[in-house]
Amino acid sequence: MNPTPTLPNYINGQWCASSATEYLEVINPATTEVLARVPLSPATEVNQAAQAAAEAFVSWRRTPPTERVQYLFKLKNLLEEHFEDLARTITLECGKTLAESKGEMRRAVENVEVACGIPMMMQGTNLEDIAKGIDEMMIRQPLGVAAVIAPFNFPGMIPFWFLPYAIACGNTYIVKPSEKVPLTMQKIFQLFEKTGLPKGVVNLVNGAKEAVDAILDHPNIRAISFVGSTPVARYIYSRAAANGKRVQCQGGAKNPLIVLPDANLEMTTRIAADSAFGCAGQRCLAASVALTVGEARHSFTEAIAQTASKRVVGNGLDQNVEMGPVISTQSKARIEDLIQKGADEGATVLVDGRNPKISGYERGSFIRPTILQNVNPSGEIARTEIFGPVLSLIHLDTIEQAIALVNSGQYGNMACLFTSSGAAARKFRYEAEAGNIGINIGVAAPMAFFPFSGWKESFFGDLHGQSNHAVEFFTQTKVVVERWPSEWTRQF
Ligand code: NAD
């Protein structure tokens, strides 16, 4: 048997063993097999990465954008070549199905593709003769060193909401993956190595709180992108901002989905089930509360209960499996406690997915789709992010009540409406307080060429991830006002 690998960091173009004194096990949540040991890197290793990135910045920012994107074209080709292996790695460490992992990697690749347009996207503006003989221009310049601190649920995609834009704009970069799922980024950095990117332009530091705090405090790191839970997002936002950094923090969510009586039942049920139970509910855009209006109460409840009960749960690598495990035994216990809490608050456990027996994977962290009916709208379970395959049903009489309930939540990541009425759709789009709106769509995830972020406690910051927002986040504008009097013109 091969010994369990210990993961190195990638700093200044070299794979280097960490000097950490603590390590965590990376565990396949379907089988509990230990896949690797990940170091909890000390602050000194973040400092080394920041130093290397700062040195690399000097010549990287002077490399023409057209040359910088050549490395991204190479990376795109390598990601395509290794697509299956990367998807498999995501499933191994994160649990989602292979189809879901492929979908995730496709989104990562799309961001590389969009960032290849930097020579157009990074352009500034200018105007001649702002006063007689005086011209003004606004140019965009990179910031320097930037970093991302990533969550466990999309180990391949989430760093790519930021990284391709950061380096294409001329910044240098540090990735701190989630310590729960560090293997995908290891593989992606092996591909970065093959692109021939100059040393120090991208760096990988594994770890947890100590590494994060070192990123937040390092004077060379100018910008930080964070994605994870709201309490950590708030902490990172305040500490990094207090240190004068540019910072964007995407936090947790509790996404509502409204079903009106005129919605197409078959389509709504299928899409709602995919939203609530896809990736075992561990998506920041997972629907976790369904608000049924009027007659939809009966038809939708019956249909979603049937669909939930039929979902095939198992190892995400196995064919025909529709839902994998949750990330860990701790997470499974937390989710099952919350289901019980919902019942204690008066909800009916209409479909109970707790403690399932999955043949061949008895030790895995599995929960089957669960549906709680008649959830108390002001109770804890209607408001807490469960981050598991649990859909709460709340029944209401009018769309106004439903929108009011949506807007009373602390989060604002996504809200969806299912209807065949254009007027209802417009009202919802106009009034719902969320950064991403789905109309007859269950996971309203923006493509790479649109910015992505939530509102309220789902986001701390101004500029979002992806697309033109990423370009603005990773550049600073400089305005130049010039006067070249014509009498200075020499005769040649
Ligand atoms: P998490 O907040 O526990 O961890 C995220 C990152 O923060 C990890 O890299 C971790 O090492 C670091 N971290 C954790 N605790 C820390 C602390 N006390 N100090 C410093 N660093 C710390 O999140 P998670 O469990 O990995 O991911 C799930 C969460 O992420 C959910 O709440 C989900 O909604 C959210 N999420 C949000 C989005 C979005 O776009 N809004 C996308 C994906 C996930």
Side-chain angles (χ1 to χ4, degrees):
M1 243 174 68
N2 290 333
T4 307
T6 298
L7 303 182
N9 293 326
Y10 185 77
I11 298 174
N12 205 21
Q14 303 281 332
W15 289 101
C16 25
S18 173
S19 61
T21 51
E22 272 185 83
Y23 291 79
L24 295 178
E25 288 179 334
V26 183
I27 292 172
N28 178 335
T31 62
T32 66
E33 179 198 357
V34 178
L35 302 168
R37 291 168 75 234
V38 61
L40 299 188
S41 301
T44 46
E45 285 161 16
V46 169
N47 298 348
Q48 285 163 12
Q51 180 67 27
E55 283 166 17
F57 177 67
V58 176
S59 53
W60 184 243
R61 72 157 288 206
R62 289 173 169 75
T63 305
T66 47
E67 276 180 44
R68 293 198 296 252
V69 299
Q70 295 311 314
Y71 296 98
L72 291 181
F73 283 117
K74 282 189 200 155
L75 181 68
K76 139 93 182 159
N77 289 338
L78 287 162
L79 290 171
E80 298 289 3
E81 215 176 289
H82 296 263
F83 197 83
E84 294 288 326
D85 181 44
L86 290 166
R88 204 182 138 79
T89 305
I90 293 174
T91 295
L92 280 176
E93 64 178 350
C94 190
K96 62 182 70 170
T97 67
L98 204 49
E100 289 167 343
S101 297
K102 287 181 187 173
E104 170 177 351
M105 274 316 299
R106 184 50 55 207
R107 285 296 175 106
V109 173
E110 277 168 8
N111 276 287
V112 177
E113 291 166 351
V114 172
C116 285
I118 283 296
M120 287 292 291
M121 294 171 83
M122 202 183 158
Q123 289 176 10
T125 53
N126 58 58
L127 185 68
E128 286 182 332
D129 292 318
I130 54 152
K132 203 163 174 38
I134 299 179
D135 305 329
E136 183 164 340
M137 68 182 86
M138 187 277 285
I139 54 181
R140 291 188 178 281
Q141 295 191 334
L143 300 169
V145 183
V148 61
I149 300 157
F152 79 80
N153 62 331
F154 285 96
M157 173 183 74
I158 286 181
F160 278 82
W161 290 346
F162 314 105
L163 184 152
Y165 306 96
I167 64 172
C169 287
N171 302 278
T172 52
Y173 213 64
I174 301 171
V175 177
K176 203 300 283 172
S178 164
E179 63 278 22
K180 293 176 189 151
V181 292
L183 292 171
T184 307
M185 272 299 131
Q186 286 276 314
K187 293 213 162 174
I188 288 177
F189 268 70
Q190 286 162 8
L191 302 182
F192 267 123
E193 205 180 7
K194 289 190 186 175
T195 63
L197 202 60
K199 63 181 189 170
V201 173
V202 291
N203 302 273
L204 175 69
V205 182
N206 288 293
K209 184 162 174 55
E210 184 176 344
V212 171
D213 286 348
I215 290 172
L216 302 181
D217 294 342
H218 199 289
N220 278 357
I221 299 177
R222 293 281 318 279
I224 295 174
S225 305
F226 168 86
V227 182
S229 59
T230 289
V232 184
R234 191 183 283 112
Y235 163 73
I236 292 201
Y237 188 68
S238 52
R239 186 157 166 174
N243 285 330
K245 299 185 194 311
R246 193 175 279 200
V247 50
Q248 50 181 192
C249 292
Q250 316 222 16
K254 183 81 182 174
N255 302 308
L257 174 160
I258 302 176
V259 186
L260 296 188
D262 65 355
N264 177 304
L265 186 63
E266 186 280 318
M267 183 189 80
T268 302
T269 310
R270 181 170 37 81
I271 294 175
D274 280 343
S275 178
F277 309 129
C279 297
Q282 299 172 120
R283 275 196 290 225
C284 66
L285 295 179
S288 50
V289 193
L291 312 176
T292 55
V293 173
E295 278 309 297
R297 170 187 189 136
H298 303 292
S299 51
F300 180 73
T301 302
E302 196 180 313
I304 193 80
Q306 271 188 23
T307 307
S309 313
K310 282 196 221 139
R311 207 157 187 97
V312 182
V313 177
N315 184 339
L317 287 182
D318 291 345
Q319 265 198 341
N320 303 325
V321 163
E322 295 170 313
M323 194 180 101
V326 296
I327 188 67
S328 62
T329 48
Q330 294 87 332
S331 182
K332 171 176 155 74
R334 197 184 83 14
I335 295 163
E336 290 180 344
D337 284 352
L338 283 166
I339 296 170
Q340 187 54 46
K341 175 137 203 135
D344 296 344
E345 284 183 355
T348 307
V349 188
L350 187 64
V351 180
D352 190 348
R354 287 174 287 184
N355 287 316
K357 299 282 164 281
I358 307 294
S359 177
Y361 302 105
E362 283 73 11
R363 298 175 61 200
S365 300
F366 292 99
I367 306 178
R368 283 191 194 278
T370 295
I371 295 190
L372 296 171
Q373 197 186 10
N374 293 324
V375 168
N376 174 0
S378 50
E380 194 182 323
I381 220 65
R383 314 243 153 208
T384 304
E385 180 178 42
I386 299 176
F387 222 54
V390 181
L391 183 66
S392 297
L393 302 184
I394 297 176
H395 307 302
L396 299 164
D397 295 325
T398 64
I399 185 174
E400 285 76 16
Q401 286 174 345
I403 293 176
L405 190 57
V406 167
N407 292 348
S408 70
Q410 72 180 103
Y411 299 109
N413 217 31
M414 182 189 77
C416 298
L417 178 76
F418 287 81
T419 184
S420 53
S421 155
R426 184 180 188 278
K427 176 181 175 65
F428 178 71
R429 186 187 73 201
Y430 196 84
E431 293 180 10
E433 294 171 4
N436 302 285
I437 298 293
I439 309 275
N440 296 319
I441 296 284
V443 180
M447 299 291 285
F449 31 87
F450 284 89
F452 174 42
S453 192
W455 283 13
K456 295 159 89 176
E457 301 246 315
S458 296
F459 181 64
F460 302 85
D462 304 292
L463 292 166
H464 301 173
Q466 299 194 147
S467 164
N468 59 331
H469 274 223
V471 174
E472 286 195 36
F473 185 79
F474 290 114
T475 54
Q476 51 200 341
T477 57
K478 185 182 270 182
V479 169
V480 182
V481 186
E482 291 183 341
R483 181 202 313 260
W484 294 104
S486 53
E487 57 269 28
W488 293 1
T489 307
R490 288 199 206 137
Q491 297 303 315
F492 292 107

